[in-house]
Amino acid sequence: MSNLRINIVIVIVFLIGGIVLSRLFYLQIDQGEYYKAMAQGQQTSLAETQGERGEVAFKNGEILAMTEKKAYLFVSPEEIKEKEVTAQMLTTVIGKDVSTLLNMMSKEGSFYEVVEESISKEKADEISDLGLDGVHIGYKTKRYYPQEDTASQIIGFINQEGLGQYGLESYYDEEIKGETTVSKTEKNPWSFLFKLSEKESLNGASLGLTIDYNIQYMAEKVLTAGVKKYAAEGGEIIVMDPNTGAIIAMAQSPNFNPNNYQDASMASFQNSCVEKLFEPGSIFKPITMSMAINEKVVTPDTVFDDKLGYAQCGTYKVYNYSQKVWGKVTMTEVLQGSINTGVMYAESLIGNNKFYNYLKSFGLFENTDIDLSGEVASRNNQLKEALESNNPNNTSFPNASFGQGIGITPLQMIRAFSTIINGGKLMKPYVVETITTGDKTEKIEPEVIKENVVSPETSTTLKSMLINVVEKGFGHLAKIPGYWIGGKTGTSQVPYTSLAINKAGYSEHTWQTFMGFAPALDPKFIILIKLNNPTATKTSEYSAVPVFHDLAKYIIDYWQIQPDYDETSLDKE
């Protein structure tokens, strides 16, 4: 009987053992990979890690855009052992009610409860020093623009999705946004432990600009003052190194604060220096004159007899400003007096075909390819159509010779003007000078797009003629004692189409401009001043020119440029 019982027990043990072994075989061998994957899925998860967006700094080192870390406080209830003690110690730092803290710390199964959305660095350090289990300091990143509205159209902003909008933020978005990587996160019984990326840094590249903070600040200051003083609707200023194409300043009024871009109008986001066309008017006349001198069809002393105050173009008449009759004048005096008929005469000697080809050489039918988003350009098809039609009644070329009927951006204009004072080189404008990724820095070098647009001799001649405009002409208010200043005024009517009015012809609104450079015989900088419809004065002689004077004087003093002559001893006549 006892043997029977023993045998039954043995059979039962073997049966149970067989069942267990069978189950183990099923779980570990047959379904092993499945349960292994399930266990790993429970113990690990995937986390996306985003590198920080790179900084953007002015040439002087002042930060234009940065990624700011904001500290916040959270607790992991499952990690906290002595909840009451922890709550008491924490409340002494943050002042939060103990009962509120205890409620947060008592949530079962929770590893993450936010206590404070934002805390100061000092409090964050104080809490960290307490060394409390389950009490953590986290960090959120936010794009921050410490200069606020300064250079706002240059930098642009980051939208709520973290994408660069307008300006540098958009143009260099891929380079500076930082890399994204997916890494495993391991979960232990208390919290989540993150594995770091294998890469040393996921942070985006940092940009060093050609923009000088002090000159940018002053450009915005004098522009704001000018817009107010001359009752303008807005305006733009560009300061550029004519020899390299480096942008030294690019100001616009009105501007906006990219930290609070949601409060600004969409119109203020556009950089009008590169995103809006205008008709330059008389600041274009030196471009035409450089072509005529380069073709040797005129010299500075060539005489033109303005007998009527207008030029006949088939059945049409194109007049001088105020329909003034000038009589016999030299080409130097044509620029000095800003005489439309004189420039039209020079264009007629060049010929429409050559004039058109020069416009292409000056880059006026294409983008400058500056490293800012949203750049536009007009192909000015009406000129091509006029060339092909050969219609004697067409006034496109005579008008274009003095900057009317040709649409360009302020940046295209200052680049073309730079070409006639830098020896004839068409340069590529740029605002980023260095791109730093990790410990490697790439230096952006000046780029010549086209050599010998005009000859160096032509360039020298034009500089002397443009000094005369300031010394004896409408640019006289640009004079700075001790320095030769070159420049040209411009006042052009605004077409109805530029005012979003579906109507042919020109409105009573004006663009008042001045293009000036110094020291004139060896230019270190060139400035374009553009005021949009100033109503307090009729011409740029008394609006844009004084604004130029104030900014140019500041740059000369700031850069400590040596005088060209001694004002007390030089008989300039």
Side-chain angles (χ1 to χ4, degrees):
M1 189 68 177
S2 60
N3 289 337
L4 179 60
R5 289 177 179 174
I6 292 171
N7 290 335
I8 291 172
V9 170
I10 291 172
V11 170
I12 292 172
V13 169
F14 274 101
L15 284 173
I16 294 173
I19 292 170
V20 171
L21 288 173
S22 175
R23 187 61 179 169
L24 287 174
F25 178 85
Y26 174 77
L27 293 175
Q28 294 185 3
I29 306 300
D30 190 35
Q31 297 292 315
E33 291 301 318
Y34 169 77
Y35 286 103
K36 180 181 178 182
M38 181 183 289
Q40 289 176 340
Q42 293 172 344
Q43 295 167 10
T44 64
S45 62
L46 297 177
E48 186 177 82
T49 304
Q50 174 70 50
E52 284 188 12
R53 197 172 184 88
E55 289 185 345
V56 181
F58 289 100
K59 189 177 184 68
N60 323 59
E62 293 90 345
I63 301 299
L64 177 57
M66 62 185 290
T67 299
E68 189 178 49
K69 285 186 176 182
K70 291 285 189 182
Y72 68 97
L73 173 65
F74 71 96
V75 294
S76 177
E78 288 295 319
E79 291 184 71
I80 302 173
K81 298 173 184 176
E82 299 178 347
K83 300 186 188 301
E84 289 191 11
V85 174
T86 301
Q88 289 287 352
M89 294 182 69
L90 198 55
T91 194
T92 60
V93 179
I94 63 173
K96 211 173 188 72
D97 185 68
V98 173
S99 61
T100 302
L101 290 173
L102 280 172
N103 285 335
M104 288 184 175
M105 295 176 184
S106 300
K107 292 185 179 180
E108 294 185 6
S110 175
F111 293 97
Y112 184 80
E113 298 293 329
V114 176
V115 179
E116 294 284 353
E117 291 282 356
S118 177
I119 59 172
S120 67
K121 182 180 183 302
E122 292 73 22
K123 284 189 176 182
D125 291 341
E126 190 176 349
I127 291 168
S128 296
D129 290 342
L130 291 175
L132 299 172
D133 289 339
V135 177
H136 302 285
I137 302 297
Y139 292 92
K140 294 179 181 178
T141 59
K142 181 183 178 182
R143 197 62 163 170
Y144 177 59
Y145 304 93
Q147 309 304 332
E148 298 187 338
D149 55 3
T150 300
S152 56
Q153 279 88 10
I154 295 174
I155 188 61
F157 58 89
I158 300 299
N159 66 13
Q160 292 180 345
E161 287 73 41
L163 300 175
Q165 304 291 299
Y166 299 91
L168 293 167
E169 292 282 28
S170 173
Y171 190 92
Y172 284 97
D173 191 47
E174 286 299 317
E175 289 86 350
I176 67 177
K177 70 179 181 181
E179 293 186 46
T180 302
T181 186
V182 176
S183 57
K184 286 184 179 181
T185 63
E186 295 182 349
K187 189 197 301 184
N188 62 18
W190 302 279
S191 186
F192 290 90
L193 301 176
F194 289 87
K195 291 182 178 178
L196 298 177
S197 166
E198 293 180 0
K199 290 200 67 170
E200 185 174 327
S201 176
L202 298 171
N203 294 341
S206 292
L207 307 179
L209 305 185
T210 60
I211 308 290
D212 185 296
Y213 172 79
N214 294 313
I215 297 176
Q216 177 71 28
Y217 181 85
M218 184 56 65
E220 294 189 13
K221 182 178 179 180
V222 299
L223 179 59
T224 300
V227 166
K228 182 178 180 180
K229 182 175 182 179
Y230 304 112
E233 295 171 2
E236 298 86 50
I237 291 178
I238 304 176
V239 185
M240 190 167 82
D241 182 338
N243 304 298
T244 66
I247 302 298
I248 300 165
M250 186 177 279
Q252 183 172 322
S253 176
N255 52 14
F256 70 100
N257 185 342
N259 293 307
N260 303 309
Y261 69 88
Q262 63 277 1
D263 298 331
S265 66
M266 288 192 67
S268 65
F269 298 155
Q270 282 188 307
N271 186 334
S272 298
C273 295
V274 300
E275 295 185 62
K276 291 185 180 179
L277 302 174
F278 82 118
E279 295 186 11
S282 293
I283 58 172
F284 195 83
K285 288 173 180 173
I287 305 294
T288 301
M289 192 63 70
S290 74
M291 302 175 192
I293 289 175
N294 204 59
E295 288 297 312
K296 296 182 171 55
V297 294
V298 300
T299 70
D301 299 321
T302 296
V303 175
F304 166 68
D305 191 359
D306 177 41
K307 297 178 180 179
L308 303 171
Y310 66 83
Q312 191 77 40
C313 301
T315 58
Y316 295 102
K317 296 175 181 178
V318 181
Y319 289 88
N320 288 326
Y321 178 71
S322 298
Q323 300 185 16
K324 181 175 179 179
V325 179
W326 288 83
K328 291 184 178 181
V329 288
T330 66
M331 291 296 106
T332 297
E333 291 169 327
V334 165
L335 290 184
Q336 177 184 318
S338 199
I339 304 170
N340 291 349
T341 54
V343 179
M344 286 188 280
Y345 169 72
E347 193 277 331
S348 70
L349 297 179
I350 299 165
N352 292 349
N353 275 293
K354 284 186 177 179
F355 181 79
Y356 183 83
N357 289 331
Y358 266 110
L359 293 179
K360 287 198 294 185
S361 294
F362 276 107
L364 297 176
F365 299 153
E366 60 190 15
N367 288 6
T368 68
D369 289 333
I370 189 172
D371 47 345
L372 289 171
S373 68
E375 185 182 15
V376 300
S378 170
R379 294 191 177 277
N380 291 291
N381 289 327
Q382 78 283 357
L383 290 173
K384 186 176 182 182
E385 292 167 3
L387 194 66
E388 293 171 348
S389 70
N390 201 28
N391 183 351
N393 289 320
N394 197 303
T395 60
S396 293
F397 281 98
N399 285 339
S401 70
F402 58 87
Q404 183 174 298
I406 179 170
I408 58 178
T409 64
L411 183 64
Q412 284 178 303
M413 183 65 230
I414 195 171
R415 179 172 77 151
F417 209 103
S418 294
T419 303
I420 67 173
I421 66 169
N422 69 10
K425 299 173 295 184
L426 184 71
M427 304 302 298
K428 179 181 178 180
Y430 63 105
V431 296
V432 171
E433 190 169 46
T434 59
I435 303 175
T436 301
T437 307
D439 57 357
K440 294 181 181 179
T441 297
E442 176 190 357
K443 178 80 160 58
I444 308 301
E445 299 296 338
E447 182 179 345
V448 179
I449 301 300
K450 189 175 180 64
E451 297 269 12
N452 298 315
V453 176
V454 296
S455 70
E457 294 76 18
T458 296
S459 179
T460 299
T461 300
L462 259 295
K463 284 186 282 189
S464 296
M465 295 173 77
L466 291 168
I467 290 173
N468 192 73
V469 173
V470 173
E471 290 297 312
K472 301 178 182 180
F474 294 128
H476 61 100
L477 292 178
K479 291 182 186 179
I480 298 173
Y483 297 89
W484 298 118
I485 308 295
K488 183 69 187 77
T489 55
T491 302
S492 55
Q493 288 178 283
V494 180
Y496 285 111
T497 52
S498 293
L499 300 174
I501 299 173
N502 187 19
K503 182 179 177 180
Y506 289 84
S507 70
E508 294 300 312
H509 290 221
T510 61
W511 287 303
Q512 295 181 20
T513 54
F514 184 74
M515 188 78 78
F517 55 96
L521 298 176
D522 183 21
K524 299 293 188 296
F525 63 87
I526 181 170
I527 301 174
L528 170 60
I529 308 290
K530 175 174 172 279
L531 297 176
N532 302 325
N533 195 37
T535 55
T537 179
K538 289 185 177 180
T539 65
S540 61
E541 177 183 4
Y542 299 107
S543 59
V545 178
V547 175
F548 166 85
H549 171 274
D550 293 347
L551 182 56
K553 179 68 167 59
Y554 173 81
I555 296 173
I556 285 172
D557 293 342
Y558 173 51
W559 282 356
Q560 299 181 347
I561 297 174
Q562 292 298 309
D564 293 316
Y565 59 87
D566 184 351
E567 178 71 13
T568 61
S569 62
L570 179 65
D571 181 359
K572 291 188 285 182
E573 291 297 326

